[in-house]
Amino acid sequence: MSSYCDAAPGHPFHGPYHEHEYGFPLRGDAELLERLALEINQAGLSWLTILKKKDAFHRAFDGFDVDRVAAYGDEERARLLADAGIVRNRLKVDAVIQNARRIQQLRGEHGSFAGWLDAHHPREKAEWIRLFKKTFRFTGGEIVGEFLMSLGYLPGAHKPECPVYPRVLAAGPPWARNAPG
């Protein structure tokens, strides 16, 4: 079985994501909401499908501005469910909106979504999954694991021999900051 590090390079969609996004830390609430939304929407689909729709998601959800998405009502929900450029699944659309509202609450407690993640780091994957299921909607084990690995809160996005690995380490992912030794 090949890894993402073996399969992604040179691919028109996987390559850029692997080389410039996957495993690199993100801090902004909009960026974090976007990544969470993409992981939620990937459930049951291929990651390639989501990468191809990434720009459409960004446009449809107003750049994932947390306050704008949190304010969505029936009209925006209907607009999203009619948008063929994204995944038109009511549960997933509702989860993104509800999760934006939850991020607003986390801002009051931790200053930002990243602040909340940092306050709970480090944790084992199983602990993260329990925490996310208590806090957010539509966040099962695979979604949470991939979300956290894609942001550098869990290791494993890149193999150590991958040419991207040193750049990820230089970006200071949380898993490396808390690594023993």
Side-chain angles (χ1 to χ4, degrees):
M1 178 177 150
S2 70
S3 76
Y4 201 53
C5 295
D6 297 326
H11 189 278
F13 291 94
H14 290 299
Y17 178 74
H18 169 265
E19 293 165 20
H20 303 290
E21 296 181 56
Y22 193 50
F24 289 91
L26 295 176
R27 301 299 300 172
D29 284 348
E31 296 169 311
L32 292 169
L33 176 60
E34 178 175 15
R35 184 67 56 83
L36 183 59
L38 295 177
E39 293 293 349
I40 286 169
N41 276 277
Q42 188 272 329
L45 302 170
S46 74
W47 188 239
L48 180 58
T49 297
I50 299 305
L51 289 176
K52 287 179 176 180
K53 292 178 175 279
K54 185 177 176 191
D55 291 339
F57 272 108
H58 195 78
R59 283 189 303 277
F61 282 93
D62 292 309
F64 290 95
D65 179 283
V66 171
D67 296 322
R68 289 184 74 168
V69 174
Y72 284 0
D74 292 339
E75 185 177 316
E76 291 86 0
R77 185 176 286 107
R79 173 185 57 79
L80 291 166
L81 292 172
D83 187 337
I86 66 169
V87 175
R88 296 178 290 180
N89 177 301
R90 183 173 301 280
L91 293 175
K92 293 176 180 183
V93 166
D94 287 346
V96 174
I97 296 167
Q98 290 301 319
N99 290 341
R101 293 173 182 159
R102 187 66 178 120
I103 291 168
Q104 285 180 315
Q105 295 171 341
L106 296 177
R107 284 178 180 162
E109 301 163 18
H110 298 280
S112 67
F113 190 2
W116 179 82
L117 289 166
D118 291 344
H120 294 287
H121 182 72
R123 285 178 182 255
E124 295 295 321
K125 182 180 175 182
E127 295 173 296
W128 278 115
I129 293 167
R130 283 192 293 278
L131 179 63
F132 266 74
K133 283 184 175 188
K134 267 185 2 189
T135 309
F136 296 102
R137 288 181 61 185
F138 213 103
T139 51
E142 286 300 311
I143 291 167
V144 172
E146 278 299 317
F147 173 71
L148 293 169
M149 192 169 15
S150 79
L151 302 172
Y153 281 90
L154 291 175
H158 297 274
K159 299 186 304 186
E161 60 272 15
C162 175
V164 179
Y165 189 84
R167 290 191 302 120
V168 168
L169 280 180
W175 70 262
R177 291 193 307 258
N178 294 99

